[in-house]
Amino acid sequence: MITQDYFGLEDKVCVVTGGASGIGLAAATLLAEVGAKVIMVDIHQENGQKAAAELQRKDYRVEFLQCDVSNGNDCIAVRDHIETKYGTIDVLFNNAGVIRRKTVVDLEESDWDLVINVSLKGIYLLSKYLIPLMARGGGGSIINTGSGWGIKGGDQAAAYCAAKAGVVNLTKAMAIDHGPQNIRVNCICPGDTDTPLLRDEAKQLQVKEDEFLVSSAKGRPLERLGTPRDIAKGVLFLASDLSEWVTGTDLIVDGGGLA
Ligand SMILES: NC(=O)c1ccc[n+]([C@@H]2O[C@H](COP(=O)([O-])OP(=O)(O)OC[C@H]3O[C@@H](n4cnc5c(N)ncnc54)[C@H](O)[C@@H]3O)[C@@H](O)[C@H]2O)c1
């Protein structure tokens, strides 16, 4: 019989970045459903507070913290809050990310900096400040959000592809460095998943949203887009004891798109 404790996440302290929306919100919800205490971190205060309040109404143990993951001082404030309130951290889901659908020629320097700073540097920063706390608590699991486009290239998304390829190999480097501290580090690589980020890509590319969503689902063996919950289930696996001998890997969750 499968019980909540099967995942080994009951009462565990889990931080989810980009937790106010899409994949982050779905992962925060699923982790809370299996008994974890979840700290939802996001730059978007209004969305974050609203999402946390909805989960609290269902009696899940969640809270929201505003933080720009590309800002070192914000990440230190998150660390200080967790250290004071919980004393430790067991799971870190480094998931916040942004995309700009442009070629290198069209990207402004500010676009490049934003995408790299949020999607790649943010993982370095929050991990830098939270790993010592996790190590002191005896270890844990870190999951970084990459993308199918961290493994193969994609059109008009040069900074995003660079950031996500960085995430895939940063994950392996972190896994090597922190394995001896009993910290597992893995990457989840979603394919096109129906979230505000995906829908915004249609706007950026100036194409109709419904046609863009249909074309994003096309060519996948499972013949549909991902849902945030599809990705959250992979995150749950990597966060939980079910993956206790898995580190340094990238888990592709994309309906077979890369196959
Ligand atoms: N949706 C997809 O098709 C898809 C595919 C592959 C990878 N991904 C990746 O999944 C992750 C989540 O994306 P999503 O699709 O759920 O998008 P989303 O836009 O629904 O959620 C992203 C969240 O990140 C937050 N955020 C943005 N900048 C931030 C910052 N500086 N600090 C803290 N939070 C910040 C946003 O406010 C938002 O709530 C991203 O890393 C994205 O690149 C998404």
Side-chain angles (χ1 to χ4, degrees):
M1 191 173 88
I2 294 181
T3 64
Q4 279 192 345
D5 207 29
Y6 193 79
F7 298 104
L9 287 167
E10 189 133 28
D11 295 331
K12 292 290 159 74
V13 178
C14 304
V15 171
V16 175
T17 75
S21 174
I23 292 167
L25 176 55
T29 305
L30 195 48
L31 289 167
E33 283 172 9
V34 299
K37 298 173 194 165
V38 182
I39 299 99
M40 301 158 75
V41 165
D42 205 287
I43 198 170
H44 202 301
Q45 173 133 12
E46 198 186 325
N47 286 357
Q49 280 173 339
K50 200 170 144 225
E54 269 170 37
L55 292 173
Q56 285 159 354
R57 269 197 291 281
K58 295 180 183 164
D59 283 337
Y60 293 135
R61 290 177 295 172
V62 305
E63 66 169 322
F64 171 70
L65 284 184
Q66 188 187 23
C67 161
D68 173 354
V69 295
S70 68
N71 179 304
N73 288 332
D74 279 14
C75 294
I76 289 171
V78 169
R79 191 267 321 272
D80 290 349
H81 174 85
I82 290 166
E83 192 168 21
T84 305
K85 184 164 174 185
Y86 303 95
T88 192
I89 171 175
D90 301 292
V91 173
L92 170 59
F93 181 28
N94 280 314
N95 166 72
V98 293
I99 191 166
R100 290 293 175 269
R101 292 300 305 263
K102 291 179 183 172
T103 66
V104 282
V105 173
D106 297 330
L107 275 168
E108 298 298 336
E109 247 184 276
S110 57
D111 293 324
W112 174 271
D113 288 345
L114 177 75
V115 172
I116 301 290
N117 286 346
V118 177
S119 311
L120 182 58
K121 184 183 173 191
I123 296 179
Y124 145 69
L125 280 174
L126 205 54
S127 304
K128 172 179 172 61
Y129 295 115
L130 287 178
I131 283 175
L133 194 56
M134 188 178 271
R136 277 211 304 278
S141 174
I142 299 177
I143 303 107
N144 298 325
T145 301
S147 167
W149 282 3
I151 294 168
K152 70 181 274 292
D155 65 295
Q156 299 178 76
Y160 186 80
C161 290
K164 293 301 188 181
V167 173
V168 171
N169 212 29
L170 171 63
T171 299
K172 294 181 198 301
M174 289 168 64
I176 292 166
D177 287 338
H178 302 291
Q181 295 163 295
N182 194 32
I183 295 175
R184 300 184 295 107
V185 189
N186 292 290
C187 180
I188 189 144
C189 290
D192 289 332
T193 303
D194 193 356
T195 68
L197 178 143
L198 186 71
R199 288 172 183 257
D200 186 60
E201 287 180 55
K203 245 187 239 148
Q204 293 185 31
L205 293 167
Q206 297 179 316
V207 296
K208 284 192 184 135
E209 188 177 283
D210 51 347
E211 287 171 14
F212 179 71
L213 295 180
V214 168
S215 74
S216 300
K218 244 190 194 158
R220 289 172 201 278
L222 295 182
E223 296 183 331
R224 65 168 176 86
L225 285 179
T227 65
R229 185 103 173 162
D230 288 326
I231 312 304
K233 288 174 183 168
V235 175
L236 177 62
F237 167 70
L238 292 172
S240 78
D241 288 350
L242 295 176
S243 59
E244 64 189 336
W245 207 48
V246 181
T247 195
T249 197
D250 35 88
L251 176 63
I252 299 167
V253 184
D254 72 342
L258 277 190

